[in-house]
Structures are given as structure tokens and as C-alpha cells.
Amino acid sequence: MSKVTIAHLYPRDMNIYGDLGNIICLTRRLRWRGNEVAVKPVEIGRPFDFAEADLVFGGGGQDSGQLIMGADLVKRGEELRQLAADGAPILTICGMYQLFGRGFTTMEGQEITGIDVFRASTVGGRVRMIGNIVVDSPFGRLVGFENHSGQTILEPEQAPLGKVKKGFGNDPQSRREGAVTGNVIGTYMHGPVLPKNPRLADHLILAALKRRYGVTELEPLDDALELGAAKVAMGRAQ
Amino acid sequence: MAKAAAKLSRWLGRGGGHALPGLVAEKFDPDLAQKLAAGLPHGVILVTGTNGKTTTTKLIAAMLEAHGERVLTNSTGSNLKRGITSALIRAADVRGRLEHTVGLFEVDEANLRLVAPGLRPKHIVVLNLFRDQLDRYGELDTTAALIGQGIAATQAKVHLNADDPLVASLANASAPEKVRYFGIEGLPARAATAHQTATDSDRCPVCRERLSFSRVFYGHVGHYRCPQGHFARPQPQVAITGVEETGLTGARFTMAVDGKRSEMTFALPGTYNLYNALAAASLATSEGVETVKVAEALATTEAAFGRVEQVEVRGRKLCLLLIKNPAGFTQVLETFLVGRPNVRVMMAVNDLDADGRDVSWLWDVPLEALAVTQPQIITAGIRGADMGLRLKYAGVESRVAATLEQAIEAVLEATPQGETAYVLPTYTAMLEVRKVLSKLTHIAEV
């Protein structure tokens, strides 16, 4: 039995839109395969040793939450960049995805500095990009729900998570969604993106087990309910 | 013209004539609502907040009617500006006169700002602020700011939940002498639940420091203070000072109104309903309603549409409980389902506009609490599969039914004669459930 530690970035400030669903999903899928799981919160101003983290997750928040945690995140930037370079799987959503890039400039011109894991910058916009979204990615066809007005522009060398089939994605024009660098994934598919996209969940899990324990293959699970729910959700995208 | 539109709309049966006349009237005379409302001798009362608007409005109406008022209300689901305009138009005679003495309207949180200046309410009641269907307003701070603007645009007396920090902070939008607080001083240990997965608002509105709570009654509702001393729970004028009994059929408690205590019984279960009772009592007593009439209304008022509504079908009782956001669903869960091994439950989740198109919020409901008892659960609705998936990851078994009809049949079949099953639908699923049930039994029209 292997022990896996999930670091949850600022769970009390960045937990809007059912983000907890991703932690629940990773935990269950690890436990169903006989692993032991510990979820450790990273809190503002509290020390955290990322050397013990096998998997990192950070979700979206209200603007006030993003402002409060932004400064703290920057202080941990070097550690997180090293973790990313070392191949640790990291999933960031919405507000946290934005701050894993170069930064976020709000509509009012306020700048929140990011930690430069992604070569991407976000600016506030007038268009609210909201609705079900379908994305073709290296992890198969993904489905989720987006709700953001920040527009993220990827630099030429930055790979997106995938191509938008339905919905908006990073911005209203590019038809590209999210970002991938190594095992670090950023996406606007907010809240519980992993439960309906089990392949993406298992990619993160395998990366974590491989890095720490040299595991090369995961025991398959029965994902009929997951894929059924994903199919319904894809049908709801306009 | 508006009157004609109202008649036409009712005749067409569209939405029960709820909002169309308001829409038409607004085109002809944008100030129509305020002109009509000006004819109400005892003014207008507005009730807002995420959860409990309909129930609280029903309780207030009962209290004011016992006091001799003739109360005009808007119906469930018509709590936007045009829904209120429609209610006024339908009640007015051809000369625009109303036979009612007071207007009592539930108002959507984001719409308070739009209706309050024109209607010049005498009272505004704010119940609570939780994250709602998330694609509606996005952020709770924004919603609070909108309500604050609504309050600031009036001379109304405001009735605020002292135990909800974000609601209590709305006092800043009003003059101190215009604010009346309601709250709970204490609950029996087993009724007080600290079970929560996501906290909606637990920071000081002044310095953004995390508030410290000495008591949590549910969600972020409890007794709190800012560790830096900027902000603390205000002392409520209307308070439940002790709860003698709580159960599935209601509660017995002591309520203090401006220091005067009375024993009361209450027909509705759940901690969340205690706050609705307090809000109604705060309003009614400040309008001069005697405590005994307040008590009578609390003892006899039945649940509003789909809020703990009981229906009998083939010798089984179906208890209908509307679910619309994490806080409400969590309260339903804890009041009716947690710790009860043999309950039968149907959960129906739709994702139409009125339900909220985003079903992510299901993951903020602590359904893990059902894993110990494993009740029999059938899920249905457009997003029945999402509900089933959430339950699977909560460690709770369930079965997804293909249609709502099949789900209702299955839940009836699983329920022995004389026993109760719980039906938990989102808003439009509730309408569908009622349609299906109306073929099987008598059920009140919405």
C-alpha cells in the first residue's frame, strides 16, 4: 500500500464552484486502488513543505480570495516551479490557473502577479464566458462547466490543454482551452472537472505514483457511471 | 392596457399569469409598480436572501392577516421586478385601486436594488446569504453589495440575521436606529451542526481576517467575531433563547422579543426554519402584531411550495423537499436523512435556467454523511447521472432511473404502506414531479 499526499492550495479561500469534487475524486480513485491518501491544506502564512506533496490541487475563488492568496502564492513560487519541473502532477482551475501563469490584470487595471509556471497572461474582460464546455485533449474528450470573464492568452511556446469543441475556453477567439506543461494542467473547467473525466484524473494519479513509487500502470476501474454522466453533460453543451 | 394584458396572460394560462403582464406593463409605464404600490396604506415589505424567502413570506402573511391586514403577495418564482409588477396589476381594479392594506413581496437578491427605490418599502428583511446556483451571480460579495445598494436607496427598517456575518454587515447600508436583528442564542447539541464542506463567508468585512466562531449553527451561521475586533455578532432584539425540542415535525422554543420571553411551538422542522420564524417575528412585532398572534401563526403555518410538503400516494407519504443550493440541500440532508437507516429517497436534478445550468454545487453538499446508513436512493432528472456520480464518490449507493415517472414508481414500490419517502427535486424537477403526482393523487396547484 502506497501513501499519497495531496496538497490542497488555500482550500478555505479558493473553493468556489464545487472544487472539492476534485479532491474527493482523486482520494476515492486512489483508495479504490488500495492506496492511502492524506490531504493537506496549504494555508496563507503557514509553512508547508512541498517535498512531501505527491499531487497538488488549487481551485477558483471569489476575487477577494484571489487577492488575499495571490501574495502568499508568489512566496511559494520557487518551490512550486521546482515541483513542476520535477514532474509532480498539479491541477489548477480558474483563478489558480490564472495565477500559475504570469499574472492577472483586472478590468480596473489592478495587477496580481502569478508564478510563471505557464507562459500565459490573463486580462479581465467584459464577456462572461459561461456554460458547458467540451474540449478535445490528449486525455480524450473532456467535459466541464466554465464561468469566467478573465481571458487567458497563451504565448506561442505554451501548449493548451486542448481544442474547444463547444463553449469558450481561454478566451472568446482562440478556441483553445487551458494549458499543459509537463504534468501541470491549468483549466477553466471549474469545480468538479475530474469526476466526469476519469482519464484526466487517472493521468494525475499515475504521474504521482510513478514519480514516488515507479508505478507504470493503474488497475482499471469501472467508469460506466462517470462516462454516462459525461455523455449527458456533453449533450447539454450548446 | 396593462390590466388587459394581465387578463390576457391569465386567460392564456401562461405561467399562471405570473410575469407577462409585468413585462408588458413595464413597456407602457415603467413606474406603474410604484404608482400602484403607493396606494397600499400600510406600505410595502420586501423579503430577500438566498434561502427561506417563500417560507418567511408565508409566515409574515399569516401574522399580518391575524392582525387584520389584507396582504398582497407575489407568488413563488415571480420574485423579479416584473413578477412584483404583475402581482400589483392583477390585484388592482380598473382605476388602479387595491383592496389590500399591505404589499409583501419576496425579492430575488440581485433585484432588490432594482425594485426598492420605486416601491419605497417600509421594511426590508434579509434572511441569509449562501452561494446559490453559481452561474447566476457568481460571487457572494457581489450579491451582498447589491443588497446593500438596495437598502441604501430606501428609508426602510431593515431586519437582519445577526448570525450571518455577511447579512449583519449590511447594517452599514442603513442608519443604526433603522436596524433590527434576529438570531439564535443557543441550540441543543444534537441540533447544532458544524458539518460543512465549504464555507461561504467567514471573513471580517472590514479587515478580511478570518472570523472566529464560538458557535456554528449551520454553514457560516453562528456566533462570530473578528479577532482584530473590527466586527462581531450584534445582539439580536428578537432571539430564540432556548430550544426545548426539535424533530421532524417541528420545534418548541422560547423566543425573546425586545427582552420579553414567550414559549412557542413551530410547525416546521430544521434549523434553517428557525431563522425564518425569527425573521417573521421580528417584522410582525415591529408592526405591532401581538406576540400571541405571532405564536399562533408559527404553530399553524404549513410549509410553502415544495418545502416539507407532504403528499399521500397509495397509502405512502411522500415528503417533497426543494433543493436549490448547497446550504439548502445540506439542511434537508441533516434534518431528514442523516442517521436514519431505512429511509427511501429520490433525488431529481435538472439543469434548466431556473435550476441553475451548472450542477457543480452538488459537490459542495456533504453527502458522505449518508455513507454509514446507506439509504435507498434513486436519482432522476436531466442530470440524474451527475447526482448518481456525486453519490458514488460519497460512498453512497444509488440507482439512476431513466425518467421521473419511473423514479417515482420505484420509490413508491420501495416504500411500505404507511411509511414516508423523501423526494428531493431541483426547481423545474419539482414542477415535473408535481405533474406526475397529480395523476396519482390530489396535489395543490402551484
Side-chain angles (χ1 to χ4, degrees):
Chain A
M1 190 145 93
S2 311
K3 192 179 170 197
V4 176
T5 300
I6 302 175
H8 190 177
L9 298 172
Y10 315 108
R12 294 176 73 176
D13 289 298
M14 302 298 277
N15 68 0
I16 204 169
Y17 302 133
D19 279 324
L20 203 63
N22 298 308
I23 298 283
I24 296 170
C25 178
L26 291 168
T27 304
R28 288 278 174 190
R29 295 181 77 84
L30 278 159
R31 286 196 183 137
W32 285 333
R33 293 177 169 118
N35 300 288
E36 204 181 309
V37 183
V39 179
K40 297 196 173 164
V42 179
E43 298 284 7
I44 292 167
R46 301 260 175 86
F48 192 91
D49 181 10
F50 282 98
E52 58 175 319
D54 298 307
L55 232 158
V56 180
F57 171 72
Q62 304 199 43
D63 287 349
S64 57
Q66 203 174 4
L67 276 171
I68 291 168
M69 75 80 188
D72 192 88
L73 184 73
V74 167
K75 288 183 203 150
R76 304 182 200 266
E78 188 49 41
E79 241 186 315
L80 284 165
R81 279 190 295 272
Q82 271 177 25
L83 199 65
D86 193 50
I90 302 178
L91 175 64
T92 60
I93 295 180
C94 216
M96 196 68 72
Y97 162 42
Q98 293 167 348
L99 295 193
F100 263 61
R102 303 215 187 271
F104 180 48
T105 310
T106 66
M107 286 275 284
E108 295 76 34
Q110 188 168 20
E111 285 186 36
I112 310 173
T113 310
I115 60 168
D116 287 341
V117 172
F118 296 126
R119 295 169 179 231
S121 311
T122 304
V123 290
R126 264 178 227 291
V127 192
R128 190 103 202 140
M129 289 168 267
I130 186 165
N132 292 288
I133 171 172
V134 180
V135 175
D136 279 341
S137 80
F139 314 103
R141 183 163 284 191
L142 307 174
V143 65
F145 198 96
E146 61 182 325
N147 184 355
H148 57 108
S149 51
Q151 304 189 3
T152 300
I153 307 301
L154 306 181
E155 291 167 20
E157 63 271 36
Q158 177 64 55
L161 171 59
K163 204 168 171 291
V164 177
K165 299 298 285 181
K166 280 179 176 172
F168 296 94
N170 284 337
D171 63 287
Q173 291 88 34
S174 73
R175 309 303 291 159
R176 303 201 296 177
E177 154 58 18
V180 187
T181 298
N183 287 323
V184 189
I185 292 169
T187 180
Y188 277 114
M189 290 185 276
H190 73 208
V193 61
L194 296 181
K196 281 200 287 287
N197 298 294
R199 237 180 103 183
L200 182 59
D202 283 353
H203 165 77
L204 296 168
I205 288 171
L206 182 59
L209 292 173
K210 198 177 198 171
R211 180 169 163 262
R212 181 83 66 185
Y213 302 105
V215 173
T216 54
E217 212 178 337
L218 290 180
E219 186 191 322
L221 298 172
D222 176 3
D223 286 333
L225 193 55
E226 285 80 350
L227 299 175
K231 199 174 161 203
V232 172
M234 286 176 195
R236 303 299 292 161
Q238 284 155 4
Chain B
M1 185 60 216
K3 199 61 188 162
K7 275 199 181 130
L8 181 68
S9 168
R10 257 178 299 169
W11 185 67
L12 291 169
R14 176 164 171 176
H18 285 177
L20 181 63
L23 183 65
V24 175
E26 275 173 16
K27 290 240 184 297
F28 286 94
D29 184 354
D31 298 329
L32 189 66
Q34 75 186 76
K35 285 177 191 162
L36 290 171
L40 293 161
H42 296 157
V44 166
I45 299 158
L46 300 177
V47 179
T48 195
T50 312
N51 288 328
K53 291 186 287 285
T54 305
T55 300
T56 304
T57 302
K58 205 172 172 196
L59 291 168
I60 294 172
M63 291 171 192
L64 294 180
E65 277 162 7
H67 190 59
E69 300 279 1
R70 291 187 299 278
V71 184
L72 173 63
T73 58
N74 55 338
S75 51
T76 299
S78 296
N79 59 16
L80 305 181
K81 187 172 181 223
R82 66 182 59 131
I84 295 168
T85 306
S86 293
L88 283 160
I89 292 168
R90 274 183 291 138
D93 68 15
V94 283
R95 296 203 175 115
R97 285 182 307 215
L98 298 161
E99 59 176 26
H100 302 85
T101 55
V102 64
L104 169 61
F105 304 117
E106 60 167 281
V107 188
D108 175 90
E109 302 90 278
N111 269 257
L112 183 76
R113 177 178 73 107
L114 305 177
V115 301
L119 292 176
R120 299 174 187 218
K122 192 172 172 193
H123 299 275
I124 296 174
V125 180
V126 189
L127 295 166
N128 50 59
L129 282 171
F130 285 99
R131 54 181 84 185
D132 201 2
Q133 302 136 12
L134 292 159
D135 51 334
R136 289 175 68 216
Y137 312 127
E139 304 203 344
L140 214 50
D141 295 340
T142 313
T143 310
L146 292 176
I147 294 178
Q149 288 169 21
I151 290 171
T154 70
Q155 296 294 315
K157 179 165 228 170
V158 290
H159 302 259
L160 302 176
N161 185 342
D163 299 347
D164 182 327
L166 203 52
V167 172
S169 73
L170 290 171
N172 291 332
S174 182
E177 69 277 9
K178 296 255 178 208
V179 178
R180 189 162 163 90
Y181 293 103
F182 55 90
I184 294 177
E185 296 300 350
L187 286 179
R190 76 192 154 79
T193 54
H195 199 122
Q196 51 181 322
T197 55
T199 313
D200 288 312
S201 78
D202 63 350
R203 284 188 176 275
C204 170
V206 182
C207 68
R208 311 300 304 172
E209 183 82 17
R210 186 99 52 206
L211 296 168
S212 77
F213 280 79
S214 59
R215 282 175 160 179
V216 176
F217 297 137
Y218 76 102
H220 59 255
V221 174
H223 294 188
Y224 53 85
R225 60 178 185 83
C226 164
Q228 308 294 332
H230 294 111
F231 178 65
R233 173 193 185 246
Q235 193 60 41
Q237 286 84 36
V238 180
I240 287 176
T241 54
V243 178
E244 281 80 51
E245 202 183 302
T246 55
L248 293 177
T249 52
R252 278 196 310 124
F253 52 73
T254 306
M255 188 187 284
V257 179
D258 300 310
K260 199 166 157 273
R261 285 165 193 250
S262 317
E263 298 273 317
M264 301 198 184
T265 60
F266 186 36
L268 303 177
T271 305
Y272 59 113
N273 275 318
L274 296 180
Y275 282 98
N276 299 334
L278 281 165
S282 174
L283 186 289
T285 51
S286 70
E287 273 295 291
V289 180
E290 301 90 326
T291 316
V292 45
K293 283 180 177 154
V294 169
E296 202 176 286
L298 291 180
T300 56
T301 303
E302 287 178 359
F305 161 74
R307 280 89 171 172
V308 214
E309 204 181 353
Q310 298 250 12
V311 181
E312 193 152 325
V313 187
R314 297 188 203 136
R316 283 101 175 150
K317 281 191 204 107
L318 291 183
C319 186
L320 305 185
L321 298 154
L322 182 71
I323 51 170
K324 49 178 192 170
N325 49 40
F329 196 163
T330 303
Q331 281 287 296
V332 163
L333 206 61
E334 291 182 344
T335 307
F336 298 97
L337 306 181
V338 171
R340 305 181 61 215
N342 293 315
V343 291
R344 287 142 298 258
V345 191
M346 173 187 152
M347 298 177 178
V349 177
N350 278 356
D351 65 354
L352 304 177
D353 284 344
D355 305 291
R357 290 186 294 144
D358 184 4
V359 295
S360 300
W361 64 274
L362 297 174
W363 292 84
D364 281 330
V365 182
L367 288 148
E368 285 76 6
L370 298 178
V372 189
T373 52
Q374 294 290 339
Q376 283 190 51
I377 304 179
I378 292 153
T379 72
I382 300 167
R383 292 299 195 105
D386 268 274
M387 188 69 244
L389 190 61
R390 171 68 188 101
L391 287 163
K392 174 180 175 178
Y393 280 84
V396 182
E397 279 181 42
S398 70
R399 192 160 64 75
V400 184
T403 65
L404 273 177
E405 283 92 334
Q406 286 176 24
I408 288 172
E409 281 300 332
V411 84
L412 284 170
E413 202 167 299
T415 309
Q417 287 269 344
E419 299 272 306
T420 301
Y422 295 87
V423 178
L424 280 53
T426 60
Y427 193 83
T428 67
M430 174 69 85
L431 299 176
E432 276 183 68
V433 163
R434 298 175 74 91
K435 203 179 258 177
V436 174
L437 290 178
S438 69
K439 293 177 196 151
L440 305 174
T441 186
H442 173 76
I443 183 164
E445 272 186 50
V446 188

